[in-house]
Every structure is written in structure tokens, then in C-alpha cells.
Amino acid sequence: MFPLNYLNDKSRRDFLKLTSAGVFGASLSGWMNVLAARADESKPTKGKAKSCILLWMDGGPSHKDTFDLKPGSKGAGDFKPIKTSASGIEISEHFPKLAQWMNKAALVRGMSTPEGAHPRAKFNLHTGYREGQGGVDYPSIGAIASMELAKKEFPLPNYVAIGGRSFGSGFLGPKYAPLIVGNPDKGVEDLKSMVSTTQFDRRVGLLEEMEQSFFGNYQADNIIDHSVNYHRAVEMMKSKEAKAFDLSKESSTVRSAYGSGTFNDGCLMARRLVEIGVPFIEVTLGGWDTHQDNFDKVKNLSGRVDQAVSALLKDLTERRLLDSTLVIWMGEFGRTPAINTRGAKPGRDHYPKAWSLMMAGGGVPGGQVIGRTDKEGAIVEEGKTSAVDFLSTVCTLMGINYKKDNTTPNGRPVRVVDKAAVPIKQIVG
């Protein structure tokens, strides 16, 4: 019997040659094609994106008021569509700066997902699995990217979540969990030691001795987690790369271009983290759960997105980073095509059946729309895209093999993205 790791290192061609030569004998012949296929599934794929910035619109933005307007439909509201730099593509009038970047972006208007409650929908879109499925604690796409693309000696966390909590590393463990930055304007507080470098090193050395002694007597998962996290913190405190968290290093001109606010600062910090090689950054903008006062809230939020995201795309382009940085704008679902009857200023409710997201950079062919909804924005008529289709697309763009199996602590193989995933052909080619 061959160890699985050994088999994974062999190419499919090598296995077929050896099989045809009878090297392994008749008793194994029925297994070889299966093992060869598994070896293929473990290979990395070619991807252009070295980093991903996920702009998470928490609450679920209305597709009919952002990237898939339906003038004249029931509940359309007063928002007008405007032309963009991409021929034939129109978006909300409240995205005038972002409209200039549509020739670099792809709009996926055929998103259709199964979960209509916030926690379950967020879990589904971050992991590709449904919460509770199989009793497994699944890792998020950020943790997957952290594991697959991390540089061995890189002193910073490879997954940073800015402006809100995100989904973690699941069964992959704390090494790939995100660093949470609550307020990017303050950076990562407490990075500077309160004592001299010599004193700090002595204290760290003493703590390590105590940790090793304790670990020798009491081995448990939470003790390992503590050790991993404290070593990460010490490495980060001593690194020059930690300056990426300090927005005061940016000029007033650059900060002004991004605008003010936690989300705007988060987009600027994301660019700084991409520059030093962090592979996955998530920036959250909340407030999109517009059950009431939908149009005023969406107008205000769209203004913040327009300023910050257009500045981010411009900044990445000028620094020659857009081609290697995948930028995604999305939430956990869309909102009802019709307006509800809640109060004097009603809004839209949750709607996972048909919604939109935007992707730019990182090898995404711009100036295109994938998928089409009906005249009410209620049903995907063409190009339906599921959560696993979307996540397999992200993995392919980043060179991550979405068919690969990771192994849980109890030995269960779990695919990076669940079966039935089909990457979006118009994006990955």
C-alpha cells in the first residue's frame, strides 16, 4: 500500500506508464486510474491573482438599486441607471466614479443561492458549504488562501479582516485564522513594546520556556492555539512589514482620495497589505440590511462605496497591482424586487434567489456581464451562478485547486470547494 502523500506527488502520466508496464501488478490495476485522478486534483492551477481583496457589504445590498437596475419595474424606485466605460453596461447613478471602471470589471448578475438568513448565508458564501453540513467546521475562503498562498517566512498574518469579524479557519486551525483590525485608522494597537528590545526578548524567552514546560505536561488544542497566536504576535511586533498597518504613513492627498470612514480607511489599508504580499484581505461595510428606509440608506452607502472602491482600483492600477489583485464587491444575498410595507419609509427584505456581485482585476476580463435576471429582477433567466461556482472561480483565479482535499483532524477528506462547482467560464476562460 502506498502512502497517500507519495501518490499525490506523482503525475498522472507517470502512474499510467507504470501501470501499463505492469510494475504494480494486476491486483492494483483497478485503483490506478482513481489514484491518478486524485493526484491531478492535488496539483495547483495556474492563476494570475496573487492577492484578493473581498469588499463585504454586510446585510445584503439590493441588486435592483446597485448593479442590476430595472427602470419601470414594480418597486424600482427613483434611482436612474447611468452609462459606464463598458459599452452597453449601466449601473446606478450613485456610482458615477465606479462607472468609469466598468471596462475593468465583470458584473455577475446571475447569483442564486439557497440561504435567506444572514448567518447561514454569510457562512455559505464564505465557505461554499451550508452551516452544519456533515458536522464539519469548514474553513473560509480567506483561510484557504492563507494556507495555499502563504509565504513560509512571512511575518504577518496572511488573512486580515478589517472593519468587522469574518469567518475563520475552521478545521485548518489558528495558523490560518484572520487577524481582525477593528479600526484601520488606529492600525493594530499594542504592536509597540512597552519595554526595551532587550527586556522584551528576555521576557519572550522566559515565556517560551514556561510554555514548553507546560505543553510537555498538558497537551490540548487550546494550548496549541495559544502558542500559535502568541508566536504570530511576536513575529509581527518585530517585523518591518507591520508598518503596513499604519495609515499615517500615507499622504493627505491619498487619504483624501479614498474618503473618510472605517470602510474607506480599510480599502486603503488593504492596498498597503497587498503591496507587502498579504494574500487575502476582507474589508466590511455594514448597513445594507435595508428593511426600512431603503433608498436613503442605499444612496448613502453607494456614495461611500463609489469613493473608496474607485480610489482603490485607481491606486492598484497606478502601482501595477490590479492585474495581480482580485477585487470582489458582494454581500450575502440580494433584496426583494418589490418594496415591503414596513413603516413610513419601507424597504426591501432578504432575497437570495437572484442577486449581483462585481469582480475586477486578478485576471478577470473586464467590460462584461454574466447572467441575466427577468424584467423584475426576481428570477435568473440566464447564467445562474451558485455559491460553489463563484468560489471555484475565485480559487481558479488565485491558482488554488478547488478540487483538492484537505483533511480534518479526525482524518476526513474535505474538498476546498464542494462537488458540483463549475467555475464561471466567461471569467476563467
Side-chain angles (χ1 to χ4, degrees), residues 258-275:
Y258 278 81
S260 60
T262 300
F263 175 70
N264 306 65
D265 288 341
C267 288
L268 176 55
M269 181 176 282
R271 189 270 289 162
R272 290 175 63 83
L273 293 172
V274 165
E275 277 187 309

Side-chain angles (χ1 to χ4, degrees), residues 46-316:
K46 291 181 180 179
K48 200 170 182 179
K50 297 177 181 176
S51 297
C52 176
I53 300 174
L54 173 58
L55 304 172
W56 186 261
M57 304 297 108
D58 200 61
S62 164
H63 53 298
K64 284 185 70 169
D65 302 319
T66 53
F67 289 113
D68 193 11
L69 277 69
K70 302 288 183 182
S73 66
K74 185 179 180 181
D78 296 328
F79 290 4
K80 302 290 189 301
I82 58 172
K83 296 185 184 301
T84 70
S85 58
S87 177
I89 297 179
E90 296 183 333
I91 61 175
S92 165
E93 62 180 322
H94 301 300
F95 289 145
K97 294 179 180 176
L98 204 48
Q100 299 171 31
W101 290 93
M102 283 301 104
N103 62 332
K104 302 286 186 182
L107 296 181
V108 181
R109 286 177 174 165
M111 289 300 299
S112 185
T113 46
E115 302 287 3
H118 293 293
R120 292 187 63 84
K122 291 176 192 177
F123 186 91
N124 183 228
L125 268 300
H126 277 85
T127 68
Y129 290 87
R130 302 184 77 167
E131 193 170 21
Q133 181 181 345
V136 174
D137 187 9
Y138 296 98
S140 67
I141 182 64
I144 294 288
S146 174
M147 182 183 72
E148 295 289 338
L149 305 179
K151 298 171 186 172
K152 190 175 180 182
E153 304 300 329
F154 192 59
L156 299 191
N158 288 280
Y159 175 17
V160 178
I162 304 170
R165 301 192 66 83
S166 184
F167 286 84
S169 51
F171 66 76
L172 295 181
K175 184 177 181 181
Y176 306 108
L179 171 71
I180 309 295
V181 180
N183 185 348
D185 188 45
K186 294 184 178 179
V188 179
E189 296 179 280
D190 302 327
L191 271 181
K192 187 176 181 181
S193 171
M194 300 295 288
V195 297
S196 69
T197 302
T198 302
Q199 284 180 300
F200 179 77
D201 289 341
R202 285 176 182 168
R203 292 182 183 182
V204 170
L206 178 60
L207 180 59
E208 287 182 347
E209 287 182 25
M210 295 170 64
E211 289 267 352
Q212 288 174 1
S213 175
F214 187 78
F215 185 72
N217 295 323
Y218 305 96
Q219 294 189 16
D221 288 346
N222 58 346
I223 297 173
I224 297 172
D225 292 354
H226 169 74
S227 179
V228 168
N229 285 327
Y230 119 74
H231 277 102
R232 287 175 64 190
V234 171
E235 285 181 15
M236 191 165 66
M237 289 176 72
K238 292 182 174 181
S239 73
K240 63 180 187 302
E241 287 84 357
K243 292 179 181 177
F245 293 106
D246 186 357
L247 296 186
S248 70
K249 303 295 182 184
E250 293 289 338
S251 70
S252 58
T253 303
V254 171
R255 296 205 65 171
S256 176
Y258 278 81
S260 60
T262 300
F263 175 70
N264 306 65
D265 288 341
C267 288
L268 176 55
M269 181 176 282
R271 189 270 289 162
R272 290 175 63 83
L273 293 172
V274 165
E275 277 187 309
I276 60 166
V278 176
F280 199 94
I281 307 106
E282 180 169 345
V283 187
T284 297
L285 175 61
W288 292 93
D289 195 20
T290 54
H291 292 285
Q292 292 184 305
D293 197 12
N294 175 77
F295 295 108
D296 286 345
K297 288 180 180 177
V298 172
K299 180 180 177 180
N300 177 268
L301 289 165
S302 296
R304 297 181 63 185
V305 167
D306 191 51
Q307 177 87 22
V309 179
S310 59
L312 174 64
L313 294 175
K314 182 174 184 288
D315 210 358
L316 290 171

